[in-house]
C-alpha cells in the first residue's frame, strides 16, 4: 500500500484524502471501504476500493453527498 496521495487524472493536482465510505462490493459481495479523494479546489472527486489501492481511481458518482 502506498502512502503517497494520488494525482487527479483530469487536472494532475495532488488529491486530498476525504475519508472512507463503507459499501458492499458487487463482484465479491464483501462489505469494504472506498477511499474518497478530492482535488484541492473540489472540482473533481474520485474513489477506489481501500483494499485495492493499485486499481485506478474511479469518478465518484455521488459527489454531492461528500461536499
Amino acid at each position: 500500500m502506498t502512502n503517497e496521495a494520488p494525482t487527479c487524472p483530469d487536472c494532475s493536482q495532488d488529491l486530498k484524502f476525504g475519508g472512507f465510505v463503507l459499501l458492499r462490493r458487487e463482484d465479491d459481495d464483501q462489505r469494504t471501504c472506498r477511499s474518497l479523494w478530492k482535488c484541492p479546489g473540489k472540482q473533481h472527486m474520485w474513489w477506489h476500493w481501500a483494499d485495492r489501492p493499485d486499481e485506478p481511481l474511479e469518478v465518484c458518482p455521488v459527489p454531492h453527498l461528500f461536499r
Side-chain angles (χ1 to χ4, degrees):
M1 180 179 256
T2 181
N3 290 332
E4 294 181 23
T7 302
C8 178
D10 283 351
C11 66
S12 301
Q13 293 185 65
D14 287 338
L15 297 171
K16 293 184 147 194
F17 180 68
F20 292 106
V21 181
L22 182 62
L23 297 167
R24 184 169 303 276
R25 189 166 42 210
E26 290 181 14
D27 66 349
D28 61 5
D29 201 38
Q30 296 292 312
R31 284 178 38 163
T32 190
C33 290
R34 281 198 179 257
S35 299
L36 189 65
W37 296 92
K38 304 177 204 177
C39 282
K42 297 184 182 177
Q43 50 286 47
H44 307 117
M45 191 168 297
W46 304 89
W47 64 5
H48 64 84
W49 294 110
D51 63 342
R52 298 177 180 175
D54 295 330
E55 289 187 357
L57 292 168
E58 300 172 40
V59 174
C60 177
V62 288
H64 60 280
L65 297 177
F66 306 110
R67 300 230 171 182

